[in-house]
Amino acid sequence: MTSAPRTPADRRRFLKGAATALAVPVAATLVGGVLVEPAYANTAALPGSTRAGATELPDFAPIPASALGPALNANGYHVGRIAGNLYWVTDGANQAMFLSTRQGVVMVDAPPTIGHNLLRAIDDVTRVNGRPSEVTHQVYSHSHADHIGASVLFGPDVVRIAHAETARLLERAADPNRPLPNVTFEDKYRLRVGGETLHLDYHGPNHSPDNIFIYAPDYAALMLVDVLFPGWVPFRGLAVSQEIPNWIKAQRIAMSYPWQTLVGGHVGRLGVRADGRTQIQYINDLEASARAALTSVDPTAIVAKYGPQGNAWAIFKTYLDAVAETAAAPVVAKYTGVLAAADVFTFDNAWAMMESLRLDTGFLGPNGIRP
């Protein structure tokens, strides 16, 4: 068993190595004083790209090249232009976005794994465009520390904007790395700074109670974190979402925005509309398969095995795992080679879907009203 990194230098090497494994050798460059980005950002696939690393992991299916993002620089990050004055930053695992305005920078989120590289990325951009590098405003997508846990780096004078529920959750957390917002809203907020605009919209709880939609209308770009995962299956347990029916609904709400580029908050590349359609189909297939498995898996033998022991938890674990395995199998087969890590997290996603069907929708299978 490998021990966790013990020193800051060890941690930097660990994060850089993990992120590099999620990148392909395509990098932005400065040519003639202009930041040039790879062309993948507005295409559904990565023609001619290759998967990083020469060897394949023996335990999991190969990652499709179309799922991978640009190569990281020597400091372990990539900064690229989305459009106009809107930029994104990734370390291959997490993502942030920022607007370079005439008055300063509007930062959206601050993942701690990117950390001080956020400041370096801003300097990379503003050194070229001549605009101020100071972060004057910050938007929180939601309260989770993996997305805003480096917010403290921007200092105490930043105007921080978040949903009202984010403020409540952060007050409870009392995390000094996630300063409380000083501007909150309930439904909508229009942020205008230095000639640039962001629309902040709340459509109810989804991944978390406070997760918002951040839309840049001038650049047809949407940042929606932990809902759509371009090129990949959702993270474990349907992104560990707290409101799964609303999380599923949020995917369709996202597609109602006229965006062309998506910042999903995780993994190494931007998204295009085809990515949203593919994930919605994955979720539809997963739900249909979970419904079928809840109907077809017979718990009789499981009850007979563990019932005499009075071990109710063993009965439920064995039965629910069997349902999840049955539900996951055809979905893994369909999406391996289409979405990255279909074989890694589809069982966990099927388990979460099954439990949501049972508990949220009342589709109980053999555990319905007793005859």
Side-chain angles (χ1 to χ4, degrees):
M1 182 175 181
T2 303
S3 61
R6 297 177 179 176
T7 69
D10 290 338
R11 181 174 179 273
R12 284 194 295 272
R13 284 191 292 270
F14 170 77
L15 292 174
K16 183 178 179 182
T20 299
L22 300 176
V24 296
V26 182
T29 55
L30 285 170
V31 178
V34 178
L35 190 70
V36 179
E37 292 79 29
Y40 76 89
N42 291 311
T43 59
L46 296 170
S49 62
T50 57
R51 189 164 57 89
T55 60
E56 295 181 0
L57 293 174
D59 298 328
F60 300 108
I63 297 299
S66 60
L68 300 172
L72 309 180
N73 63 20
N75 283 320
Y77 69 94
H78 167 81
V79 58
R81 179 185 282 115
I82 295 173
N85 297 310
L86 185 65
Y87 297 83
W88 71 298
V89 188
T90 183
D91 62 356
N94 295 290
Q95 301 172 359
M97 182 175 79
F98 66 91
L99 267 170
S100 176
T101 85
R102 295 191 301 265
Q103 295 179 11
V105 171
V106 178
M107 191 78 220
V108 184
D109 282 356
T113 61
I114 306 178
H116 285 85
N117 281 336
L118 294 168
L119 300 174
R120 296 183 182 101
I122 290 169
D123 285 342
D124 291 342
V125 168
T126 56
R127 188 183 308 116
V128 173
N129 68 17
R131 290 190 163 192
S133 62
E134 179 185 3
V135 176
T136 59
H137 296 73
Q138 185 181 14
V139 175
Y140 289 162
S141 66
H142 63 302
S143 66
H144 289 171
D146 61 326
H147 290 284
I148 64 169
S151 299
V152 69
L153 297 178
F154 304 124
D157 299 326
V158 172
V159 177
R160 293 182 168 90
I161 305 105
H163 189 263
E165 183 67 6
T166 302
R168 187 188 71 79
L169 292 168
L170 290 179
E171 186 172 18
R172 182 184 68 184
D175 180 359
N177 292 324
R178 292 177 283 165
L180 292 177
N182 39 34
V183 176
T184 61
F185 67 97
E186 294 286 349
D187 297 317
K188 295 181 183 298
Y189 188 87
R190 299 297 178 254
L191 176 61
R192 296 179 176 87
V193 180
E196 304 290 343
T197 302
L198 287 178
H199 292 185
L200 314 182
D201 299 326
Y202 180 67
H203 293 287
N206 48 75
H207 164 69
S208 65
D210 57 327
N211 201 25
I212 65 171
F213 293 62
I214 302 151
Y215 182 60
D218 294 338
Y219 307 120
L222 176 69
M223 183 167 178
L224 178 60
V225 174
D226 289 324
V227 173
L228 294 172
F229 294 78
W232 295 71
V233 298
F235 186 75
R236 187 174 196 170
L238 299 178
V240 202
S241 295
Q242 295 171 260
E243 290 276 356
I244 287 174
N246 282 347
W247 179 81
I248 294 172
K249 180 181 176 182
Q251 297 168 41
R252 294 178 171 84
I253 294 173
M255 297 303 288
S256 73
Y257 283 75
W259 57 270
Q260 297 302 313
T261 304
L262 177 86
V263 182
H266 277 297
V267 205
R269 73 166 172 89
L270 298 172
V272 295
R273 296 193 68 84
D275 293 315
R277 292 190 291 269
T278 300
Q279 182 172 312
I280 287 172
Q281 187 59 56
Y282 170 87
I283 294 299
N284 288 343
D285 289 342
L286 192 67
E287 180 175 344
S289 192
R291 286 180 180 274
L294 280 166
T295 301
S296 66
V297 175
D298 185 353
T300 302
I302 298 169
V303 174
K305 180 177 182 179
Y306 295 110
Q309 303 175 30
N311 194 336
W313 277 183
I315 293 172
F316 272 96
K317 172 180 170 52
T318 306
Y319 167 68
L320 295 176
D321 283 356
V323 172
E325 288 171 1
T326 301
V331 181
V332 171
K334 179 176 179 177
Y335 287 94
T336 296
V338 177
L339 290 176
D343 59 323
V344 179
F345 277 147
T346 296
F347 169 81
D348 302 281
N349 289 336
W351 211 101
M353 178 67 77
M354 168 196 66
E355 281 297 88
S356 178
L357 288 173
R358 289 183 349 101
L359 305 180
D360 296 325
T361 74
F363 193 88
L364 293 169
N367 294 303
I369 297 174
R370 191 182 184 113

